Amino acid sequence: MEDKYEKNILTKNRLDKLSKQLINSNTPSSINLLQKYKVSKSHILKGVHCSNCSHIPMQRKRGKWNCPICEQQSTDAHIATLKDYALLIEPIITNQKARVFLQIESPTVSNRILTSEGFPASGGNKDRKYHLIFNK
Ligand SMILES: [Zn+2]
């Protein structure tokens, strides 16, 4: 893509403005799946699930997700879990909510996961919100 489209059409400033506008005008789907299927939020299992045997939760060790049942390892198993969060709960997440939903003890680790996925963020350091927008 970068080779094909070499010329910058928009300035960085204009691009930043445009991306902020897009984030602000993004209206979450009005379908409330939990309501639709009469499922309570408290019934949603928390934690990252194993793509091999479906066990929840996988455990995070040295930068990898490990399944205690089938021993499958993954570096990006949290993405499916964050997609579930966006669809079932809301498309915006804080570090603290991510830590609880992904079942990670360390706030530093969950913060690292959210920032490394490159989710657009808004708000100050204390109330930073990550917009769960997925490219694939
Ligand atoms: Zn497994």
Side-chain angles (χ1 to χ4, degrees):
M1 284 290 274
E2 279 174 0
D3 289 342
K4 200 172 168 190
Y5 304 101
E6 291 174 325
K7 202 174 149 202
N8 291 328
I9 307 284
L10 299 171
T11 62
K12 171 147 186 355
N13 211 352
R14 185 75 191 108
L15 256 181
D16 286 346
K17 264 190 191 158
L18 204 62
S19 80
K20 265 187 199 139
Q21 258 172 18
L22 282 171
I23 290 170
N24 288 336
S25 53
N26 173 34
T27 11
S29 158
S30 56
I31 306 167
N32 185 327
L33 289 173
L34 297 185
Q35 225 165 54
K36 188 174 172 190
Y37 295 108
K38 299 187 171 48
V39 175
S40 151
K41 248 187 211 180
S42 60
H43 286 133
I44 299 175
L45 293 178
K46 292 182 183 70
V48 170
H49 74 265
C50 170
S51 64
N52 187 44
C53 74
S54 301
H55 175 78
I56 287 185
M58 291 183 95
Q59 287 148 7
R60 182 99 181 160
K61 280 180 206 151
R62 282 179 240 106
K64 280 188 183 147
W65 295 101
N66 297 275
C67 177
I69 305 300
C70 74
E71 296 182 349
Q72 163 115 329
Q73 287 195 330
S74 166
T75 51
D76 63 358
H78 55 271
I79 292 177
T81 308
L82 290 171
K83 280 184 181 170
D84 290 344
Y85 185 92
L87 279 172
L88 295 172
I89 319 271
E90 55 182 349
I92 291 168
I93 200 165
T94 61
N95 189 39
Q96 205 234 336
K97 284 179 177 172
R99 198 172 61 71
V100 172
F101 201 70
L102 298 173
Q103 298 277 286
I104 296 171
E105 278 175 34
S106 154
T108 318
V109 171
S110 59
N111 189 51
R112 195 179 306 140
I113 286 177
L114 289 173
T115 49
S116 73
E117 291 304 330
F119 296 121
S122 60
N125 270 344
K126 267 199 163 175
D127 60 344
R128 185 167 292 267
K129 292 178 176 75
Y130 296 88
H131 301 257
L132 298 171
I133 295 166
F134 300 91
N135 297 320
K136 46 188 175 178

PDB file of all heavy atoms in Angstrom, residues 50-55 58 67-72, ligand 1:
ATOM      1  N   CYS A  50      -9.273 -20.388  24.585  1.00  0.00           N
ATOM      2  CA  CYS A  50      -8.315 -21.131  23.762  1.00  0.00           C
ATOM      3  C   CYS A  50      -8.987 -21.472  22.430  1.00  0.00           C
ATOM      4  O   CYS A  50     -10.076 -22.038  22.412  1.00  0.00           O
ATOM      5  CB  CYS A  50      -7.901 -22.402  24.503  1.00  0.00           C
ATOM      6  SG  CYS A  50      -6.957 -23.530  23.479  1.00  0.00           S
ATOM      7  N   SER A  51      -8.321 -21.129  21.323  1.00  0.00           N
ATOM      8  CA  SER A  51      -8.928 -21.371  20.009  1.00  0.00           C
ATOM      9  C   SER A  51      -8.893 -22.859  19.663  1.00  0.00           C
ATOM     10  O   SER A  51      -9.580 -23.315  18.761  1.00  0.00           O
ATOM     11  CB  SER A  51      -8.205 -20.568  18.932  1.00  0.00           C
ATOM     12  OG  SER A  51      -6.881 -21.022  18.828  1.00  0.00           O
ATOM     13  N   ASN A  52      -8.093 -23.625  20.380  1.00  0.00           N
ATOM     14  CA  ASN A  52      -7.975 -25.047  20.090  1.00  0.00           C
ATOM     15  C   ASN A  52      -9.027 -25.882  20.829  1.00  0.00           C
ATOM     16  O   ASN A  52      -9.699 -26.709  20.233  1.00  0.00           O
ATOM     17  CB  ASN A  52      -6.565 -25.515  20.449  1.00  0.00           C
ATOM     18  CG  ASN A  52      -6.308 -26.947  20.026  1.00  0.00           C
ATOM     19  OD1 ASN A  52      -6.662 -27.339  18.919  1.00  0.00           O
ATOM     20  ND2 ASN A  52      -5.722 -27.718  20.913  1.00  0.00           N
ATOM     21  N   CYS A  53      -9.189 -25.635  22.144  1.00  0.00           N
ATOM     22  CA  CYS A  53     -10.120 -26.476  22.912  1.00  0.00           C
ATOM     23  C   CYS A  53     -11.236 -25.662  23.574  1.00  0.00           C
ATOM     24  O   CYS A  53     -12.044 -26.216  24.313  1.00  0.00           O
ATOM     25  CB  CYS A  53      -9.358 -27.288  23.963  1.00  0.00           C
ATOM     26  SG  CYS A  53      -8.809 -26.316  25.381  1.00  0.00           S
ATOM     27  N   SER A  54     -11.265 -24.353  23.333  1.00  0.00           N
ATOM     28  CA  SER A  54     -12.305 -23.453  23.860  1.00  0.00           C
ATOM     29  C   SER A  54     -12.252 -23.225  25.365  1.00  0.00           C
ATOM     30  O   SER A  54     -13.142 -22.599  25.924  1.00  0.00           O
ATOM     31  CB  SER A  54     -13.715 -23.933  23.491  1.00  0.00           C
ATOM     32  OG  SER A  54     -13.826 -24.006  22.101  1.00  0.00           O
ATOM     33  N   HIS A  55     -11.235 -23.717  26.033  1.00  0.00           N
ATOM     34  CA  HIS A  55     -11.128 -23.492  27.475  1.00  0.00           C
ATOM     35  C   HIS A  55     -10.978 -21.998  27.788  1.00  0.00           C
ATOM     36  O   HIS A  55     -10.305 -21.269  27.080  1.00  0.00           O
ATOM     37  CB  HIS A  55      -9.912 -24.259  28.030  1.00  0.00           C
ATOM     38  CG  HIS A  55      -9.663 -23.975  29.482  1.00  0.00           C
ATOM     39  ND1 HIS A  55     -10.397 -24.543  30.484  1.00  0.00           N
ATOM     40  CD2 HIS A  55      -8.776 -23.140  30.095  1.00  0.00           C
ATOM     41  CE1 HIS A  55      -9.973 -24.079  31.654  1.00  0.00           C
ATOM     42  NE2 HIS A  55      -8.981 -23.223  31.443  1.00  0.00           N
ATOM     43  N   MET A  58      -7.333 -18.673  29.347  1.00  0.00           N
ATOM     44  CA  MET A  58      -5.921 -18.967  29.107  1.00  0.00           C
ATOM     45  C   MET A  58      -5.131 -18.124  30.097  1.00  0.00           C
ATOM     46  O   MET A  58      -5.629 -17.126  30.607  1.00  0.00           O
ATOM     47  CB  MET A  58      -5.528 -18.585  27.685  1.00  0.00           C
ATOM     48  CG  MET A  58      -6.148 -19.452  26.602  1.00  0.00           C
ATOM     49  SD  MET A  58      -5.569 -18.990  24.941  1.00  0.00           S
ATOM     50  CE  MET A  58      -4.213 -20.157  24.710  1.00  0.00           C
ATOM     51  N   CYS A  67      -2.755 -22.245  27.301  1.00  0.00           N
ATOM     52  CA  CYS A  67      -3.946 -22.986  27.711  1.00  0.00           C
ATOM     53  C   CYS A  67      -3.529 -24.065  28.713  1.00  0.00           C
ATOM     54  O   CYS A  67      -2.687 -24.909  28.394  1.00  0.00           O
ATOM     55  CB  CYS A  67      -4.623 -23.636  26.502  1.00  0.00           C
ATOM     56  SG  CYS A  67      -6.040 -24.641  26.998  1.00  0.00           S
ATOM     57  N   PRO A  68      -4.122 -24.048  29.920  1.00  0.00           N
ATOM     58  CA  PRO A  68      -3.736 -25.044  30.933  1.00  0.00           C
ATOM     59  C   PRO A  68      -4.257 -26.442  30.602  1.00  0.00           C
ATOM     60  O   PRO A  68      -3.807 -27.420  31.174  1.00  0.00           O
ATOM     61  CB  PRO A  68      -4.373 -24.506  32.216  1.00  0.00           C
ATOM     62  CG  PRO A  68      -5.511 -23.658  31.761  1.00  0.00           C
ATOM     63  CD  PRO A  68      -5.137 -23.114  30.415  1.00  0.00           C
ATOM     64  N   ILE A  69      -5.192 -26.541  29.665  1.00  0.00           N
ATOM     65  CA  ILE A  69      -5.770 -27.848  29.336  1.00  0.00           C
ATOM     66  C   ILE A  69      -5.022 -28.525  28.184  1.00  0.00           C
ATOM     67  O   ILE A  69      -4.506 -29.619  28.320  1.00  0.00           O
ATOM     68  CB  ILE A  69      -7.279 -27.715  28.973  1.00  0.00           C
ATOM     69  CG1 ILE A  69      -8.043 -27.013  30.097  1.00  0.00           C
ATOM     70  CG2 ILE A  69      -7.893 -29.072  28.645  1.00  0.00           C
ATOM     71  CD1 ILE A  69      -8.018 -27.709  31.453  1.00  0.00           C
ATOM     72  N   CYS A  70      -4.941 -27.841  27.030  1.00  0.00           N
ATOM     73  CA  CYS A  70      -4.319 -28.495  25.864  1.00  0.00           C
ATOM     74  C   CYS A  70      -2.917 -27.952  25.558  1.00  0.00           C
ATOM     75  O   CYS A  70      -2.280 -28.378  24.604  1.00  0.00           O
ATOM     76  CB  CYS A  70      -5.218 -28.365  24.640  1.00  0.00           C
ATOM     77  SG  CYS A  70      -5.224 -26.707  23.923  1.00  0.00           S
ATOM     78  N   GLU A  71      -2.463 -27.019  26.376  1.00  0.00           N
ATOM     79  CA  GLU A  71      -1.117 -26.441  26.262  1.00  0.00           C
ATOM     80  C   GLU A  71      -0.874 -25.642  24.988  1.00  0.00           C
ATOM     81  O   GLU A  71       0.265 -25.352  24.623  1.00  0.00           O
ATOM     82  CB  GLU A  71      -0.048 -27.525  26.444  1.00  0.00           C
ATOM     83  CG  GLU A  71      -0.117 -28.104  27.843  1.00  0.00           C
ATOM     84  CD  GLU A  71       0.946 -29.151  28.127  1.00  0.00           C
ATOM     85  OE1 GLU A  71       1.616 -29.597  27.169  1.00  0.00           O
ATOM     86  OE2 GLU A  71       1.092 -29.511  29.299  1.00  0.00           O
ATOM     87  N   GLN A  72      -1.944 -25.261  24.312  1.00  0.00           N
ATOM     88  CA  GLN A  72      -1.822 -24.386  23.143  1.00  0.00           C
ATOM     89  C   GLN A  72      -1.254 -23.031  23.590  1.00  0.00           C
ATOM     90  O   GLN A  72      -1.598 -22.541  24.662  1.00  0.00           O
ATOM     91  CB  GLN A  72      -3.215 -24.190  22.529  1.00  0.00           C
ATOM     92  CG  GLN A  72      -3.315 -23.011  21.587  1.00  0.00           C
ATOM     93  CD  GLN A  72      -3.592 -23.459  20.169  1.00  0.00           C
ATOM     94  OE1 GLN A  72      -3.178 -24.543  19.755  1.00  0.00           O
ATOM     95  NE2 GLN A  72      -4.284 -22.654  19.418  1.00  0.00           N
TER      96      GLN A  72
HETATM   97 ZN    ZN B   1      -6.784 -25.374  24.952  1.00  0.00          ZN
END
